[in-house]
Amino acid sequence: MFTTRPELLGTHGMVASTHWLASAAGMAVLEDGGNAFDAAVAAGFTLQVVEPHLNGPGGEVPAIFAAAGQAPEVLCGQGVAPAGATLAHYRDLGLELVPGTGLLAATIPGAWDGWLLLLRDHGTRTLRQVLDYAIGYARNGFPVVERITATIEVVEQLFREHWPTSATQWLPAAQPGTRLRNPALADTLERLLAEAEAAGSDREAQIEAARRAWYQGFVAEEIDRFARQEFRDDSGRSHAGVLTAADMAGWSASYDTPVSVDLADGWTLHKLGRWSQGPVLAQQLRLLDGLDLSYVDGVASADTVHLATEAAKLAFADREAWYGDSPEVPLDRLLAVAYARQRRALITETASLELRPGLDGRLPAFVAEGRGVGNTAGEMDTAMGVGEPTVSRTGVTRGDTVHVDVVDRWGNLVSATPSGGWLQSSPHIPALGFNLGTRAQMFWLEEGHPNVLAPGKRPRITLSPSLASRGGEAVLAFGTPGGDQQDQWQLCFWLAHTRAGLNLQAAIDAPAWHSTAFPSSFYPRSWQPGELVAESRLGAETFAELARRGHSVLDAGPWALGRLSAVSRDPDTGLLRGAANARGAQGYAVGR
């Protein structure tokens, strides 16, 4: 029998995230009179400190939100490729793929400006009021969770032999339950605050001063200096970066219009656009519209898992052929009902082993020639290879990130998936207390592809926060870490919630699955045709039936897939709901 914890109920505010300290920080802001945007920013900065193996200040923050009574918007805190990140430069270095570690894969760090833009335009608190929590944990320490220790231990040799600044900061690996500090990061944040408050007492003036201090001041100058050095990356050679202070000074976070898709069941889904993988969730739901998806006691049937998996393969094949930060991406056609009907006819009773993009889409040569089939990320630690995080001994990281959802009493909703700048992504910058991200590894080095590397361009990211509306009003925010799995695990949640009728917590707890039958977005871009990873709680009979249909089923264990969280608001009653992931005993939802 399927059992689950109850979802949280309240009327004042809800915060759900991947770490209890971030959720608590966000809730403290709500209790102090702040709104959902203030709370999300406080939680986001806290996550940078307490989950350093999953995100950091040198990373990015895409978010989707709806101010009370307003249409949803997208926050683009995803930095672009630097001016020196040309196709010719990377080819001259003899690279077939952008390395997944080191300095060559750095895009402009977008998280700081993204969070501050959201705070300035939609928040009510001062920068100090939302940043104090992160500073406190960086200065005084925070409890180490097992995944931090495991991640550091996996990359210990890399740190000792090639990244000495990282070795100084992180070795020996702090043990679970002990306290970990990052005083250099605390110093950086306090200096940013000091420069902000030197601008006077006006809240917006302080925020603008802090943005300048990062992108035109001491942070940019130190990043420029550090990036000129050569460090080993997972190409097996040492390279300097191409990111400069001039790149940083010329960039700022921005707002986008979300991709919104009306579904047959009365819901409207809102996602990031073509520069993310977000539209694949909409494509999967289009493909599944009208199909009979069954659940028994909250558990998906073999039919449901098979159909969802085959829909995912078709949607992700289109992602590989078409998605990217390019105006040529035919999103309207990819999301059309008629196109979904045409593609749905390709789904049979047997698992497909092919990548089949539509609309005459062209797969990258690396994919079309099958160069990533069966590859693994070097010496991947098998104990960490199914769930999340996943990191190899060379520092290759796949699927590492965090997530936060917030709803407040006024009806503001925020869903954010911060990521990048993992402690294992590139060498630690000792003067700043953090390291750069490696999001540029998601570009292809192939002329003519929508996701080809080019200066000033956003990589096609896996980060994919979600918002959903009913009756023209945003009522649900949700998301998960998980790299390429984000919009598959979110599909599991969505189907359990909207098709099976499970509440938020039950839908998160329901057994999950995902396919690895399409290329990973992370170096070395591997995939396993036919492989289906699933939680054992689906049941032995379901596993056997899926295998009979041609899936290569990998048992992930009973509670292994996803780190989902979700919040919602009933516009008729004002009742708020929240839920977080039980897997890993780290996610937390709080409210009142």
Side-chain angles (χ1 to χ4, degrees), residues 26-49:
M27 193 64 208
V29 171
L30 290 179
E31 293 278 12
D32 194 44
N35 65 18
F37 302 103
D38 300 314
V41 175
F45 283 132
T46 300
L47 286 167
Q48 291 178 358
V49 178

Side-chain angles (χ1 to χ4, degrees), residues 113 203 590:
D113 208 55
R203 190 185 77 93
V590 60

Side-chain angles (χ1 to χ4, degrees), residues 59-63 75-79 108-115 251 253-254 275:
E60 50 274 333
V61 56
L75 172 72
C76 178
Q78 170 60 60
I108 296 170
W112 180 259
D113 208 55
W115 283 128
W251 181 85
S254 59
W275 52 277

Side-chain angles (χ1 to χ4, degrees), residues 399-429:
D400 297 67
T401 188
V402 297
H403 186 79
V404 59
D405 297 304
V406 189
V407 60
D408 64 27
R409 71 191 79 175
W410 302 285
N412 299 306
L413 273 170
V414 184
S415 179
T417 310
S419 189
W422 313 300
L423 67 86
Q424 66 275 19
S425 64
S426 65
H428 184 78
I429 306 175

